[in-house]
């Protein structure tokens, strides 16, 4: 696969395509407003059965999934992902680190990326009309829940076939909650200096039981552990709304899958389970528990089981779509 320098620099607008054993991988730039974001697509070598839009978490980037997404693509799932504002290769200078903007900006970015991947019409080939699923990990999981519950995005949400939450940030585990004194001080200073950067380190050893993964995170220059006071305050506000029960999903949300490890020390397993229990308007919801698993199911010891469960859940809903499609009668 093509390698890129870790130095900060402009994102080129041209696409780069690489064909691997399981997927065709395309790099490019997604434009939203006056911003350009590094993006990447994993396209199956065979028929596309479903499309998956992926939203990454805090202090990570989409190239951390280079081993996981080809597994999905090998089974007919086309994956679309981008480095969010303030993260990964979408950072072009040091002052951009963690510069996510407020929640309204974060959700607008996510909505624009999802909208771009939705079918433009009911006609066209299989790839164009394949059902779209949206998946978020950690902070990204909290973001897609906020989007799915926001009335202004109801039409978009209704066109998404399913929502997948991998260890979403719905609440903090006991003992890992941010200090109330630091939060208050940060909010006060943030009103005057919203772009002031602040380090927030999630210990790599909390992410996976695989020591090779732990070391790769620790040595990854793009996992910069840097937020801004505005961005961190917005993240805390979203999490508080999700954990308190203020956020409810409506009937336009067709299906939800929650996948969570019981030993997650970055995001609360209990809070995520309680959130799902409150979502009475969603008829099709599934909670999958991975006993003893840490925060990154896709790179933990349970990664094979997680991939199998995820694929099964997506493809089952694709088969329902195919079964419900009208069949043309043969004419003699």
């Amino acid at each position: 696969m093509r390698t890129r320098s870790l130095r900060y620099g402009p994102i080129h607008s041209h696409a780069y395509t690489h064909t691997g054993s399981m997927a065709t991988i395309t790099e490019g730039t997604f434009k939203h407003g006056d911003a350009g974001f590094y993006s990447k697509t994993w396209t199956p070598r065979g028929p596309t059965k479903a499309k998956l839009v992926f939203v990454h978490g805090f202090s990570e980037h989409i190239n951390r999934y280079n081993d996981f997404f080809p597994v999905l693509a090998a089974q007919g799932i086309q994956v679309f992902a981008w480095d969010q504002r303030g993260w990964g290769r979408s950072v072009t200078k040091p002052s951009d680190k963690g510069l996510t903007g407020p929640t309204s900006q974060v959700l607008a970015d996510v909505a624009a990326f999802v909208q771009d991947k939705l079918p433009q019409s009911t006609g066209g080939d299989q790839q164009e009309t394949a059902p779209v699923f949206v998946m978020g990990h950690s902070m990204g999981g909290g973001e897609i829940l906020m989007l799915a519950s926001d009335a202004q995005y109801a039409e978009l949400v209704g066109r998404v076939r399913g929502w997948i939450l991998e260890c979403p940030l719905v609440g903090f585990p006991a003992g890992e909650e941010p200090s109330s004194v630091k939060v208050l001080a940060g909010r006060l200073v943030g009103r005057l200096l919203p772009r002031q950067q602040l380090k927030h380190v999630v210990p790599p050893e909390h992410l996976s039981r695989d020591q090779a993964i732990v070391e790769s995170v620790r040595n990854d220059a793009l996992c910069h552990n840097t937020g801004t006071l505005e961005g961190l305050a917005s993240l805390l506000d979203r999490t508080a709304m999700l954990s308190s029960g203020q956020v409810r999903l409506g009937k336009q949300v067709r299906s939800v899958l929650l996948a969570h490890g019981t030993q997650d020390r970055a995001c609360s397993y209990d809070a995520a389970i309680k959130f799902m229990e409150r979502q009475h308007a969603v008829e099709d919801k599934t909670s999958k528990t991975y006993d003893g698993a840490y925060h990154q199911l896709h790179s933990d010891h349970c990664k094979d089981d997680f991939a199998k469960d995820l694929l099964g859940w997506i493809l089952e809903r694709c088969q329902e779509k195919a079964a419900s499609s009208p069949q043309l009668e043969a004419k003699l």
Side-chain angles (χ1 to χ4, degrees), residues 23-211:
T24 299
I25 303 166
T26 303
E27 293 179 286
T29 302
F30 175 72
K31 298 291 186 66
H32 180 218
D34 59 354
F37 307 117
Y38 169 77
S39 65
K40 200 167 183 178
T41 304
W42 290 258
T43 300
R45 300 289 299 277
T48 294
K49 302 173 184 176
K51 296 180 179 181
L52 179 67
V53 174
F54 183 81
V55 187
H56 69 74
F58 182 87
S59 191
E60 67 167 357
H61 56 94
I62 57 176
N63 280 307
R64 300 247 8 125
Y65 295 81
N66 284 337
D67 292 332
F68 181 63
F69 290 156
V71 174
L72 304 184
Q75 300 302 316
I77 310 298
Q78 186 179 30
V79 182
F80 303 89
W82 81 107
D83 283 349
Q84 294 196 69
R85 191 182 299 262
W87 308 109
R89 288 178 168 84
S90 292
V91 171
T92 59
K93 56 184 182 297
S95 61
D96 288 342
K97 289 182 178 180
L99 193 60
T100 63
T103 293
S104 59
Q105 180 66 73
V106 172
L107 298 190
D109 288 344
V110 177
F113 194 82
V114 174
Q115 181 69 49
D116 187 64
K117 307 302 179 271
L118 290 171
Q120 300 304 307
S121 67
T122 56
D125 60 25
Q126 182 179 7
Q127 181 169 319
E128 291 177 351
T129 61
V132 174
F133 296 78
V134 178
M135 176 177 175
H137 175 248
S138 193
M139 177 186 75
E143 291 170 3
I144 68 170
L145 283 174
M146 295 297 293
L147 176 70
S149 65
D150 194 324
Q152 69 175 306
Y153 296 114
E155 191 275 335
L156 179 150
V157 171
R159 297 178 63 196
V160 172
R161 181 60 188 86
W163 302 79
I164 300 157
L165 311 167
E166 181 193 355
C167 300
L169 181 52
V170 173
F172 295 98
E176 303 294 338
E177 305 91 342
S179 163
S180 58
V181 174
K182 289 183 179 180
V183 170
L184 178 59
R187 289 186 185 280
L188 292 174
V189 176
R191 293 175 183 175
L192 299 174
L193 302 169
R195 296 191 173 196
Q196 177 65 44
Q197 291 175 323
L198 181 69
K199 285 283 187 178
H200 174 72
V201 179
V202 178
E205 60 270 20
H206 289 184
L207 302 179
S208 174
R209 292 170 291 181
D210 186 330
Q211 290 307 304

Side-chain angles (χ1 to χ4, degrees), residues 1-2 7 21 23 26 31 34 46 50 52 99 131 134 150 154 175 211 217 232 273 296 304-305 314 318:
M1 181 179 295
R2 180 191 186 193
R7 295 179 181 177
S21 59
T26 303
K31 298 291 186 66
D34 59 354
L52 179 67
L99 193 60
V134 178
D150 194 324
Q211 290 307 304
V217 173
L232 291 170
I273 294 295
Q296 294 184 353
D304 292 339
D305 288 337
I314 291 174
C318 295

Side-chain angles (χ1 to χ4, degrees), residues 130-320:
V132 174
F133 296 78
V134 178
M135 176 177 175
H137 175 248
S138 193
M139 177 186 75
E143 291 170 3
I144 68 170
L145 283 174
M146 295 297 293
L147 176 70
S149 65
D150 194 324
Q152 69 175 306
Y153 296 114
E155 191 275 335
L156 179 150
V157 171
R159 297 178 63 196
V160 172
R161 181 60 188 86
W163 302 79
I164 300 157
L165 311 167
E166 181 193 355
C167 300
L169 181 52
V170 173
F172 295 98
E176 303 294 338
E177 305 91 342
S179 163
S180 58
V181 174
K182 289 183 179 180
V183 170
L184 178 59
R187 289 186 185 280
L188 292 174
V189 176
R191 293 175 183 175
L192 299 174
L193 302 169
R195 296 191 173 196
Q196 177 65 44
Q197 291 175 323
L198 181 69
K199 285 283 187 178
H200 174 72
V201 179
V202 178
E205 60 270 20
H206 289 184
L207 302 179
S208 174
R209 292 170 291 181
D210 186 330
Q211 290 307 304
I213 297 297
V214 172
E215 289 304 313
S216 72
V217 173
R218 185 172 285 125
N219 296 322
D220 191 334
L222 294 181
C223 295
H224 55 65
N225 298 304
T226 303
T228 61
L229 293 179
E230 178 184 53
L232 291 170
S234 296
L235 182 151
L236 292 175
D237 288 342
R238 294 193 297 269
T239 305
M241 291 180 67
L242 290 165
S243 63
S244 67
Q246 297 179 56
V247 176
R248 296 297 176 96
L249 303 176
K251 292 186 178 297
Q252 68 271 24
V253 176
R254 298 174 62 184
S255 304
V256 180
L257 169 65
L258 167 68
H260 218 299
T262 60
Q263 296 302 310
D264 189 340
R265 295 174 64 185
C267 295
S268 172
Y269 166 79
D270 291 335
I273 294 295
K274 288 180 181 178
F275 177 88
M276 289 287 283
E277 292 172 348
R278 295 189 187 109
Q279 307 312 313
H280 303 298
V282 182
E283 295 183 2
D284 177 20
K285 56 182 181 177
T286 305
S287 295
K288 177 66 178 179
T289 294
Y290 296 85
D291 190 40
Y294 281 20
H295 186 54
Q296 294 184 353
L297 302 178
H298 58 274
S299 63
D300 198 43
H301 293 331
C302 63
K303 62 184 181 182
D304 292 339
D305 288 337
F306 173 59
K308 180 181 178 181
D309 294 338
L310 175 61
L311 285 164
W313 189 86
I314 291 174
L315 295 176
E316 180 181 0
R317 280 145 190 82
C318 295
Q319 291 166 358
E320 290 173 359

